[in-house]
Amino acid sequence: MADVTIHREQPMAFFKTRVEEALDHQGVEASDDSAFYLVSLLDGFVCPKGGYGDVGPHPEHPLGELLLLALHQRGARRFAMLKLAGDLSLFLSGFFAASLERRRVDLRYYIHVGESAYGNAAADCYPRSGAPLFEELSARFVQLSDVLHRVAETCGGGDPTNLLRLYERWLVTGDGRTAETLERRGVPTVATSGSVH
């Protein structure tokens, strides 16, 4: 059904509805700027517009390498590379979390890169009026990633029935909504020394 809907709506309108529903479902109170950023991020990955300019390394390079290279740049190029690293980390950790679990690096890697990239982008943001957005993206990266994960589930991109993946996600993110889903399905979520709680 979502496939039919996306063809009838513009991607921005489609994702706006899905992000608003996911924010409400996850109980995340994001600023209007952050909510719009998530919508724009999803739209940008569906309909690429080349918004990163010539940032040098291609997005298929390892995110850690992209972040490291960004930190050695200056000015607009540094900001663009940091934004790209943050955006890729947020999109991948939210929308493709299940497939990340089968790779050499896990979800924590993407979270760390994303938080760091957005935090540094906030410090470099010009004009400074844009800094609070990137500070929020950094500080609430896990919650916003969980929102994108919910969007993926509602669009058919996630696998909400796979308890093992849900449990592994909960261990990494500590997301309360994921814990509730697990509890409803009979899987206890007791905090351990290895969890994020």
Side-chain angles (χ1 to χ4, degrees), residues 59-125:
E60 61 268 10
H61 286 209
L63 286 171
E65 180 181 321
L66 179 60
L67 177 60
L68 184 62
L69 290 170
L71 293 172
H72 288 91
Q73 302 299 315
R74 293 177 183 244
R77 181 176 172 84
R78 175 183 167 103
F79 178 79
M81 290 174 70
L82 289 168
K83 183 178 180 306
L84 175 60
D87 289 355
L88 288 170
S89 297
L90 184 56
F91 182 71
L92 293 171
S93 68
F95 227 73
F96 294 103
S99 65
L100 295 179
E101 293 163 5
R102 295 184 292 271
R103 295 188 173 200
R104 286 183 294 159
V105 294
D106 65 9
L107 190 56
R108 282 180 280 259
Y109 168 78
Y110 291 86
I111 291 169
H112 174 72
V113 170
E115 289 172 340
S116 181
Y118 283 143
N120 281 284
D124 292 346
C125 192

Side-chain angles (χ1 to χ4, degrees), residues 10-154:
Q10 293 295 321
M12 283 290 281
F14 176 80
F15 287 126
K16 181 178 186 296
T17 301
R18 296 307 174 277
V19 166
E20 288 171 352
E21 290 171 351
L23 286 166
D24 184 55
H25 181 270
Q26 296 298 104
V28 175
E29 294 182 20
S31 69
D32 289 344
D33 288 342
S34 288
F36 181 74
Y37 194 91
L38 292 181
V39 172
S40 298
L41 179 74
L42 292 171
D43 179 64
F45 279 102
V46 169
C47 306
K49 299 166 186 70
Y52 296 101
D54 178 24
V55 296
H58 297 289
E60 61 268 10
H61 286 209
L63 286 171
E65 180 181 321
L66 179 60
L67 177 60
L68 184 62
L69 290 170
L71 293 172
H72 288 91
Q73 302 299 315
R74 293 177 183 244
R77 181 176 172 84
R78 175 183 167 103
F79 178 79
M81 290 174 70
L82 289 168
K83 183 178 180 306
L84 175 60
D87 289 355
L88 288 170
S89 297
L90 184 56
F91 182 71
L92 293 171
S93 68
F95 227 73
F96 294 103
S99 65
L100 295 179
E101 293 163 5
R102 295 184 292 271
R103 295 188 173 200
R104 286 183 294 159
V105 294
D106 65 9
L107 190 56
R108 282 180 280 259
Y109 168 78
Y110 291 86
I111 291 169
H112 174 72
V113 170
E115 289 172 340
S116 181
Y118 283 143
N120 281 284
D124 292 346
C125 192
Y126 184 81
R128 294 297 304 151
S129 59
L133 168 62
F134 290 97
E135 290 168 356
E136 182 178 359
L137 293 172
S138 176
R140 304 185 78 187
F141 188 91
V142 169
Q143 289 178 309
L144 298 175
S145 172
D146 288 334
V147 167
L148 292 185
H149 184 69
R150 176 65 184 172
V151 171
E153 289 176 344
T154 62

Side-chain angles (χ1 to χ4, degrees), residues 156-172:
D159 184 3
T161 61
N162 189 319
L163 292 180
L164 179 58
R165 287 189 181 143
L166 280 176
Y167 187 75
E168 289 173 346
R169 182 170 181 82
W170 173 76
L171 286 176
V172 172

